[in-house]
Amino acid sequence: MVLESAISAIIQVILFSVIPFIWWFFSARKEQSFLRWLGLQKPVIENKGNYFVWFLFIIVLLSAPLFIITYFYLDSSILASNRFIGLGFSALIPAFFYAIVQTGLSEELIFRGFLMKRFMNKFGFQMGNIMQSLLFGILHGWMFYSFVPFGVVVLVVMATAFAGYLMGWINERKSNGSIITSWGIHGIGNLIASFVAMFNVL
């Protein structure tokens, strides 16, 4: 299970990086490195206390609505974290690969790294952040479209879009454009969801 999780995580990161890499290669490779172009760089934090308060606050803000929706409206069997149900600590390493790398890193590369920064360059911060967060929400809603009523899909879209907006905001306003911050938030949120499944908390 560990090897399978690691391979799946690496493949997904590579797949999510293909379009950004091609775009960078033909438009920006002479200006900056690929990773810096995506924002995969060390955050520059001016006020660490304020930063960590926002970091923790956003984890709560994005986790609470999603857990409520999951508990009341979604069958846990359709969730990606379902693969870890009841496995306890034996699923710790696979859950780490799933939460931090497969979903956390790959989605941050494409949404807060590639899409948001391209949208920001074209339309400015506010519109760019709204656009990437809506796409983030729509993708997650689409994943559940065949399994739940349309009203629940709308709730999923709204909750994940809100989370996407907050992660874009903290990257650009508190981390000097680094997606390391949203990667951390996203990964921790996914890890919490995995732990909930691993130990049958809900």
Side-chain angles (χ1 to χ4, degrees):
M1 190 176 188
V2 173
L3 182 60
E4 179 186 338
S5 296
I7 291 171
S8 294
I10 292 167
I11 289 173
Q12 184 158 318
V13 169
I14 291 170
L15 289 175
F16 275 55
S17 301
V18 170
I19 292 175
F21 182 81
I22 292 170
W23 193 291
W24 165 82
F25 186 82
F26 288 106
S27 68
R29 76 180 188 278
K30 295 179 180 178
E31 299 163 18
Q32 56 187 163
S33 70
F34 178 58
L35 295 182
R36 182 168 290 275
W37 183 76
L38 286 174
L40 196 58
Q41 62 200 17
K42 183 179 178 181
V44 177
I45 301 162
E46 293 181 7
N47 185 331
K48 291 184 179 179
N50 180 267
Y51 169 83
F52 283 111
V53 168
W54 275 108
F55 188 92
L56 295 174
F57 185 56
I58 290 173
I59 289 174
V60 173
L61 275 180
L62 69 87
S63 297
L66 292 171
F67 277 114
I68 290 169
I69 291 170
T70 300
Y71 183 78
F72 287 105
Y73 300 110
L74 298 178
D75 182 343
S76 63
S77 66
I78 65 174
L79 301 175
S81 57
N82 176 60
R83 72 188 84 170
F84 306 123
I85 284 182
L87 296 179
F89 284 110
S90 66
L92 186 60
I93 295 175
F96 178 86
F97 277 114
Y98 157 75
I100 306 296
V101 182
Q102 184 171 351
T103 54
L105 178 57
S106 61
E107 290 182 8
E108 290 311 307
L109 286 172
I110 197 78
F111 286 99
R112 259 64 66 188
F114 176 59
L115 290 174
M116 181 171 179
K117 293 186 183 301
R118 307 297 72 77
F119 289 150
M120 279 175 53
N121 288 341
K122 184 77 173 175
F123 305 106
F125 165 74
Q126 197 64 258
M127 185 57 66
N129 199 17
I130 289 171
M131 290 170 73
Q132 69 82 15
S133 64
L134 285 174
L135 289 173
F136 185 64
I138 289 167
L139 171 70
H140 285 80
W142 175 75
M143 289 163 57
F144 293 106
Y145 185 77
S146 301
F147 305 102
V148 298
F150 182 71
V152 178
V153 172
V154 172
L155 287 176
V156 171
V157 170
M158 290 172 61
T160 50
F162 180 59
Y165 182 88
L166 289 174
M167 290 190 288
W169 176 84
I170 195 172
N171 283 353
E172 300 301 326
R173 292 295 187 250
K174 300 293 181 180
S175 310
N176 197 38
S178 172
I179 66 168
I180 296 290
T181 294
S182 59
W183 179 17
I185 291 170
H186 198 157
I188 290 170
N190 288 343
L191 209 49
I192 292 170
S194 297
F195 285 167
V196 167
M198 288 159 59
F199 298 101
N200 289 314
V201 175
L202 296 179

